[in-house]
Amino acid sequence: MKVIFAGTPEFAAVALQALVEAGFDIPLVLTQPDRPAGRGMQLQPSAVKQYAVSKGIEVLQPLSLRMDSKDPQRAEEARAAHQRLLSTSYDVMVVAAYGLILPRSTLDIKTCLNIHGSLLPRWRGAAPIHRAIEAGDKETGITIMEMEEGLDTGPMLLTERVAIEDSDTTGSLHDKLAALGGKMIVEALNKMRHGELEAVVQPEEGVSYAAKISKEEAALDFSHSAENIGRKIRAFNPFPGAYGVVNGVNVKLWGAEVLEGGNAPAGKVLSADAQNGIVVACGSGALRLTELQKPGGKRLPAAEFIKGFPLEGLSFSV
């Protein structure tokens, strides 16, 4: 089978690698344009582009695939990309975290399969891994679906579940799901080749949407429950990084344990020493902070952090 692949971040690169290693012919890869990154804000290629280039696969990076865009440059690039797709011999397009909307004109060329990081119809949208952890879900998974114009509304072809552990962060869960997605798309295409894929319409009940993560959400309010705050810390690790404000300083919190708490005011630092660790009262319960980072500093275990940033007697803002 000849497969055109569309994707951008590491989650997608893992799937592309799985397809290449399984022997599929990849004549073309679509990925988003290079973006400024790092302290020098130099243009950086996506993870998908880096892998494709390393394998000698042609890469196309249009700003948009919508030929009706009001932006002349985007419309022109979309038309060029559309003609490139029409002139390429392929059997199916595989999409994983591409980041661009596929218009009807693209979907109509060939079947498009999507690797989605949730158990649809729960967590349709941009940030299913973050939102599953933030909501306290006990499980998530990968859904291979056939794409249509709606937001992650297409029929499901394969589904596999993954337990969300209490220790999981978005980073650790991402890696599990990326590996699973790569395995499952290979399985799906092999079944497709033999006419063994069965489409199941998504149920109307249980629909939820995983809105894109904003940096503004990372500010923690310690008047909330310790359980709620702990989930946010795990959900926003590694991006955008949850933080609490203490003495006017934004302190990033990368790890925490939920404890039972007393009646201390929310945000008050109950202890900050090597023996008891950094314990902060919340609206209900308390959190033992295990890994922190001050602006311009490194991520440090709590015992190391308090050597350079004493917290005893202070309070986090609520």
Side-chain angles (χ1 to χ4, degrees), residues 181-257:
K183 177 184 79 72
M184 289 176 64
I185 194 60
V186 169
E187 178 185 351
L189 292 182
N190 284 329
K191 286 179 177 289
M192 183 181 182
R193 179 160 45 192
H194 296 100
E196 298 173 353
L197 270 185
E198 182 178 348
V200 177
V201 176
Q202 291 188 36
E204 295 182 4
E205 296 182 357
V207 174
S208 61
Y209 291 93
K212 185 178 179 179
I213 300 296
S214 69
K215 291 184 177 180
E216 290 73 22
E217 293 180 76
L220 298 174
D221 181 348
F222 280 83
S223 67
H224 294 167
S225 70
E227 184 177 356
N228 176 280
I229 299 170
R231 291 200 305 261
K232 283 183 177 290
I233 291 172
R234 293 191 293 118
F236 298 160
N237 181 355
F239 175 84
Y243 68 89
V245 180
V246 56
N247 262 11
V249 178
N250 293 351
V251 176
K252 286 205 171 183
L253 308 178
W254 296 108
E257 301 169 358

Side-chain angles (χ1 to χ4, degrees), residues 301-318:
E304 293 297 315
F305 181 83
I306 55 178
K307 292 179 181 178
F309 198 116
L311 290 171
E312 191 72 51
L314 301 180
S315 294
F316 283 85
S317 299
V318 296

Side-chain angles (χ1 to χ4, degrees), residues 132-172:
I133 292 178
E134 183 184 17
D137 291 1
K138 297 301 182 184
E139 65 175 6
T140 185
I142 291 289
T143 303
I144 307 294
M145 55 168 282
E146 184 174 346
M147 296 184 71
E148 56 184 33
E149 284 189 285
L151 178 63
D152 299 326
T153 58
M156 302 180 293
L157 304 170
L158 289 178
T159 300
E160 193 163 329
R161 298 174 180 272
V162 171
I164 299 178
E165 306 294 340
D166 290 342
S167 59
D168 268 326
T169 63
T170 287
S172 65

